[in-house]
Amino acid sequence: EGMSPLEMLNSGEIVKIAAPMVRYSKLAFRTLCRRWGCDLVYTPMIISKDFNASQFARDAEFTTNKEDRPLIVQFAANDAFELASASEKVIKYCDGIDINCGCPQRWVMSEGYGSALLNHPELIADMVRQTKMITNGIPVSIKIRIDAKDKQYVTPNSQLFLELIFNLIFNLNSLLSFKNFST
């Protein structure tokens, strides 16, 4: 078994990562990326609510195999329970969960996903907290995109967002250490 994503990133070595790409980061593309030297790959963004609601959606949106590791599954969510439930369904097949808090596409933001979440740092913190509680120690990350030139994504809540996330990390690490878990 290879290194975990956190071990890779902390190794001091260059880590080649194929970031999530809409419609392209399916299994065949991830396999090709690995053949060309990628160390860590992401799934495309998966809508957690649809993933939970439909076996058809699960079959269409998430395929993998034993060579598809390490793998980060990226979800779009606007509800902590939906995200945690979707994460629970893939936990045996991946090495991390990523929450998309950066996609600026209009339809994504209209659903309250992606960059729209930057205006709701308490919700992001709750999603991380609830997902982390069911992931058995694998990393939960958030993808953000803040472009200082585009004031739409730099909100009055940006400072609050960062403070909440740092507090969440500190408090969650304390909680997990107390329970003899590791992050």
Side-chain angles (χ1 to χ4, degrees):
E1 196 169 302
M3 285 193 280
S4 74
L6 288 177
E7 290 169 332
M8 285 180 170
L9 294 172
N10 289 322
S11 72
E13 299 294 320
I14 292 174
V15 180
K16 296 174 282 305
I17 301 171
M21 292 180 285
V22 177
R23 293 182 302 279
Y24 289 100
S25 297
K26 301 278 186 166
L27 177 60
F29 184 76
R30 295 192 309 265
T31 301
L32 184 62
C33 288
R34 289 182 194 283
R35 285 188 188 147
W36 284 92
C38 273
D39 301 306
L40 177 63
V41 297
Y42 283 69
T43 67
M45 177 180 72
I46 300 169
I47 308 295
S48 62
K49 184 176 181 180
D50 298 342
F51 195 76
N52 287 326
S54 163
Q55 183 65 49
F56 178 80
R58 288 190 291 279
D59 292 343
E61 296 301 321
F62 182 72
T63 56
T64 189
N65 61 36
K66 62 183 178 182
E67 287 85 31
D68 193 24
R69 301 298 281 273
L71 175 65
I72 307 294
V73 177
Q74 186 187 75
F75 285 110
N78 58 15
D79 178 271
F81 177 77
E82 289 286 353
L83 176 63
S85 296
S87 298
E88 193 169 34
K89 291 173 176 59
V90 300
I91 202 72
K92 294 184 289 190
Y93 311 104
C94 71
D95 303 282
I97 301 295
D98 185 63
I99 307 165
N100 187 329
C101 299
C103 184
Q105 291 184 17
R106 200 170 282 131
W107 76 267
V108 172
M109 292 183 62
S110 72
E111 295 291 329
Y113 308 136
S115 294
L117 290 167
L118 293 178
N119 290 315
H120 305 283
E122 298 91 350
L123 174 57
I124 295 171
D126 191 35
M127 290 194 301
V128 170
R129 186 180 303 109
Q130 287 195 39
T131 302
K132 197 70 178 139
M133 295 303 226
I134 60 94
T135 58
N136 299 322
I138 72 165
V140 176
S141 60
I142 58 172
K143 174 189 130 185
I144 62 172
R145 178 182 299 157
I146 298 176
D147 183 354
K149 290 179 261 169
D150 187 351
K151 301 297 183 203
Q152 175 179 353
Y153 305 120
V154 180
T155 69
N157 287 336
S158 294
Q159 182 64 36
L160 175 61
F161 169 78
L162 293 173
E163 288 174 13
L164 278 172
I165 296 305
F166 285 121
N167 285 332
L168 170 69
I169 291 167
F170 175 75
N171 291 331
L172 190 58
N173 281 339
S174 298
L175 174 65
L176 293 175
S177 295
F178 178 73
K179 291 185 172 184
N180 290 325
F181 289 105
S182 63
T183 55

